Amino acid sequence: MSLLIGKYYAHPSAIPTFYLDRAARLFPQFVFYMLLATIFIYFLKFDSQLTNKPTINEWLLNLLILPLGFYMYWADGPLVIPQAWSLGLEMTFYLAIPWILIFFSNRKIYTLACLSFLIFLTAYCGKINSDIFGYRLLFGTLFMFLIGWSFSKNDSNSIKFRFIALLLAGALLLIALFNNFIYQLPYNKEVLAGLIIGIPAINFIRHLNPSKIDEFLGNLSYGVFLNHFIIIWLMQKFLTVKSFDIGNITILLASSCALALGSFLYIERPALKWRYTIRNGITQKRTNKRASQV
């Protein structure tokens, strides 16, 4: 996102277009799978602890995506697509990040990351809810997104920032291993483990040249993320699957990837072309402006 904003949307007037770009990324496949899940829940009468029949208001809040990031304050039970709560957090980040990158200096961004980390640390210690403030809301997770921003740079400050973040994550996980109260708090160990694995992994793969396989799997990823619970529900209902052994996991992965391929080709790809048209239009406007100035 940092590179994308820097290349196409690094001006306040371009922020609404950035929002349009992100909406075109998130909504097409989401709306498709949201409708599919709704049909299954109401007409196939899925009965799962991970979903429920929403009221009309709840269904509309699901459909808007952004409220999903705050579902703990309004949802009466699980969501239509349970894992989609993270898209609400993602959209919250999209709303904030262009303003941060355009109007904040690097020093202020690092300060913002520190403030976010302090909120996470307060949640990690159990002073505030670790699930909500250390995992689900942007207040305590912004510093993680900003670690991602630092990978768009390669100066000494960004390298130090990533190293300190990795060091702190390791220290906090070590403390949690010896403190049962902190260890048992929701998502403390999972978030820290994610940072410990993720920071070195991203640092490694950023130096690799992307391949066609990377591109293909990247194209499938969003659909797989959205549809895998639907496949699980279908397998539980019609194949009476009670547990997922190697065979059932293979069926799940194959079915999820096949459905994701179809939704990418017929839903995501047309939207992708539109997004590229938007970006190319911005590039052309800049070119024309420079030419007129010359």
Side-chain angles (χ1 to χ4, degrees):
M1 287 302 100
S2 302
L3 294 172
L4 180 69
I5 291 170
K7 185 175 182 180
Y8 295 104
Y9 305 109
H11 191 275
S13 63
I15 291 177
T17 312
F18 170 75
Y19 291 158
L20 187 63
D21 182 301
R22 293 297 84 201
R25 172 69 177 99
L26 289 181
F27 276 98
Q29 287 199 77
F30 176 79
V31 171
F32 169 72
Y33 285 114
M34 177 76 179
L35 294 174
L36 194 62
T38 301
I39 290 170
F40 289 158
I41 289 169
Y42 277 94
F43 296 99
L44 295 183
K45 303 192 183 302
F46 279 159
D47 183 18
S48 170
Q49 63 179 354
L50 294 175
T51 191
N52 68 339
K53 292 182 179 180
T55 64
I56 294 297
N57 287 340
E58 289 175 337
W59 189 86
L60 289 173
L61 289 171
N62 272 264
L63 190 63
L64 291 173
I65 297 183
L66 181 62
L68 292 174
F70 308 91
Y71 79 94
M72 66 289 292
Y73 299 116
W74 57 264
D76 181 18
L79 304 170
V80 176
I81 301 177
Q83 70 278 19
W85 72 266
S86 64
L87 295 180
L89 173 58
E90 184 176 341
M91 186 174 282
T92 308
F93 166 72
Y94 289 154
L95 289 173
I97 193 61
W99 300 96
I100 293 171
L101 297 188
I102 293 172
F103 292 103
F104 282 39
S105 65
N106 287 354
R107 184 175 180 178
K108 289 182 179 178
I109 292 176
Y110 289 127
T111 301
L112 196 61
C114 290
L115 293 173
S116 173
F117 177 75
L118 288 176
I119 295 173
F120 171 81
L121 189 60
T122 306
Y124 164 86
C125 294
K127 301 300 182 182
I128 55 178
N129 191 296
S130 64
D131 183 347
I132 294 175
F133 292 98
Y135 181 54
R136 299 187 192 272
L137 296 182
L138 191 64
F139 306 112
T141 59
L142 179 60
F143 78 95
M144 305 177 203
F145 288 102
L146 294 178
I147 292 171
W149 159 78
S150 76
F151 277 108
S152 69
K153 302 178 176 298
N154 209 29
D155 57 278
S156 60
N157 286 333
S158 65
I159 294 171
K160 288 177 185 176
F161 175 57
R162 295 192 291 271
F163 177 75
I164 291 171
L166 182 60
L167 196 65
L168 287 172
L172 291 177
L173 184 58
L174 187 63
I175 291 171
L177 292 174
F178 290 95
N179 186 309
N180 189 59
F181 172 74
I182 293 177
Y183 185 82
Q184 294 299 330
L185 289 174
Y187 301 111
N188 268 348
K189 52 188 177 295
E190 292 88 348
V191 170
L192 293 170
L195 288 171
I196 292 168
I197 295 170
I199 294 173
I202 295 172
N203 190 57
F204 173 73
I205 64 174
R206 67 197 283 253
H207 298 295
L208 302 178
N209 293 322
S211 67
K212 291 293 184 181
I213 294 176
D214 296 321
E215 182 181 357
F216 175 74
L217 294 177
N219 290 338
L220 292 186
S221 62
Y222 188 41
V224 169
F225 166 76
L226 288 170
N227 72 31
H228 67 277
F229 265 117
I230 296 173
I231 303 297
I232 290 172
W233 296 335
L234 289 170
M235 292 177 68
Q236 288 174 335
K237 185 171 183 67
F238 295 108
L239 300 181
T240 63
V241 171
K242 302 297 182 183
S243 62
F244 282 83
D245 55 21
I246 295 298
N248 286 329
I249 289 174
T250 302
I251 294 171
L252 170 62
L253 287 174
S255 303
S256 181
C257 288
L259 184 56
L261 178 61
S263 63
F264 170 76
L265 292 176
Y266 297 105
I267 298 173
E268 174 73 15
R269 193 161 62 174
L272 183 63
K273 292 178 180 178
W274 184 50
R275 280 160 48 208
Y276 286 159
T277 300
I278 293 172
R279 296 175 194 174
N280 291 336
I282 291 174
T283 303
Q284 188 61 47
K285 286 181 181 178
R286 288 179 180 171
T287 303
N288 294 339
K289 185 176 181 180
R290 292 194 193 102
S292 64
Q293 289 174 343
V294 172

